[in-house]
Amino acid sequence: NHWWWLQVALWRHVRETREHTGSIALLEEDHLVTPDFLQVMGVLLRMQDSDCPQCWGVCVRYGCGGKDDHLLDQKQKSVQPPGQDRLAKVCRIHAVINTGIAFNRDTFERIERSDFLDFMNGWDWSLFHLLQTLQLPDMMLAPSLSRIRNIGTAGATVSEADLQLHIISQLQYDAAPANIKFDEDAFWIDTGEAMAYTPPCWEPLNLGLVEFVSKTPQNYS
């Protein structure tokens, strides 16, 4: 598993990171980030410490679950909540988002103790399995407006043959424009139940290559 090889190298062997206890952000060759990517990542990590210590990590791809909540023009047309900027909204979500994630050594060591390597699937599905089987906390932080994009078929990991409907829908989202004004104090967490991520029908509880069962929702108040 190339992804796990990378994690072991980062957390155990690379001189600059092997003693690091904070979080490490992971990017792939077909990810493009916005100018405020590092600033927003820093905000999310600080919010994780203060507002979501049970989160296994954060990501800068959109994660709020409202209809069209990830589209910039919908935010511009929407009524802004009093004193709260919709462009700076952050959600606690029950998911694995595989674009622009960051997590710390504690999460790495939890994965290391899990059955991650025994679960024969892609690294993101394997993490999803760990969440669903309670080997990792079932929550992460993500913004409503992405600070990262996947360049799709122009990159190395998505081909024309991969473009099924659910793949196309995953690639259709907006990222923050280059001229967006960064204001750390504007970021806020939407705690409404409507913002909790609900996996679509093609993300069932996967206990193996062909075994799928439903999942009982958990209460994270």
Side-chain angles (χ1 to χ4, degrees):
N1 187 306
H2 73 283
W3 189 86
W4 185 244
W5 174 90
L6 173 63
Q7 303 314 309
V8 173
L10 287 172
W11 297 103
R12 298 291 186 213
H13 301 297
V14 175
R15 183 179 59 189
E16 291 80 3
T17 56
R18 65 190 179 195
E19 303 297 331
H20 182 60
T21 58
S23 294
I24 294 177
L26 304 173
L27 296 175
E28 298 187 24
E29 71 283 345
D30 54 358
H31 292 169
L32 295 178
V33 300
T34 60
D36 64 348
F37 161 79
L38 286 177
Q39 294 167 301
V40 173
M41 179 67 78
V43 169
L44 293 173
L45 291 173
R46 288 189 288 276
M47 293 178 81
Q48 179 185 2
D49 289 340
S50 61
D51 298 291
C52 195
Q54 70 272 39
C55 286
W56 69 268
V58 306
C59 80
V60 294
R61 186 181 182 269
Y62 78 89
C64 298
K67 186 178 186 298
D68 295 332
D69 208 46
H70 55 288
L71 300 178
L72 187 59
D73 61 344
Q74 293 297 321
K75 291 181 173 62
Q76 292 169 334
K77 296 173 186 176
S78 299
V79 176
Q80 178 174 305
Q84 294 175 321
D85 184 354
R86 288 182 59 82
L87 294 177
K89 182 169 69 172
V90 175
C91 297
R92 290 180 290 194
I93 56 174
H94 309 290
V96 170
I97 295 178
N98 63 5
T99 308
I101 68 173
F103 56 83
N104 60 24
R105 182 173 295 275
D106 178 67
T107 293
F108 163 74
E109 291 177 348
R110 285 175 181 243
I111 298 171
E112 193 173 40
R113 295 191 299 267
S114 74
D115 67 351
F116 178 87
L117 289 178
D118 297 325
F119 189 78
M120 300 300 293
N121 217 309
W123 67 266
D124 46 357
W125 275 104
S126 296
L127 287 181
F128 192 63
H129 162 75
L130 299 188
L131 269 62
Q132 293 184 310
T133 53
L134 307 183
Q135 297 180 77
L136 275 182
D138 183 17
M139 193 175 290
M140 66 189 309
L141 281 182
S144 64
L145 181 60
S146 291
R147 264 60 180 194
I148 194 168
R149 284 195 60 83
N150 187 306
I151 61 176
T153 56
T157 60
V158 180
S159 68
E160 293 289 345
D162 294 327
L163 292 182
Q164 303 172 47
L165 286 178
H166 71 276
I167 297 294
I168 293 173
S169 67
Q170 289 178 34
L171 296 174
Q172 292 177 339
Y173 60 90
D174 291 330
N179 63 350
I180 192 171
K181 182 179 179 181
F182 176 79
D183 179 3
E184 178 172 351
D185 294 333
F187 285 85
W188 57 286
I189 292 182
D190 188 340
T191 58
E193 284 298 320
M195 292 300 103
Y197 177 88
T198 302
C201 60
W202 46 268
E203 289 186 5
L205 173 56
N206 189 346
L207 295 177
L209 289 177
V210 294
E211 296 180 274
F212 296 90
V213 298
S214 62
K215 176 171 180 271
T216 301
Q218 299 180 55
N219 179 28
Y220 292 91
S221 57

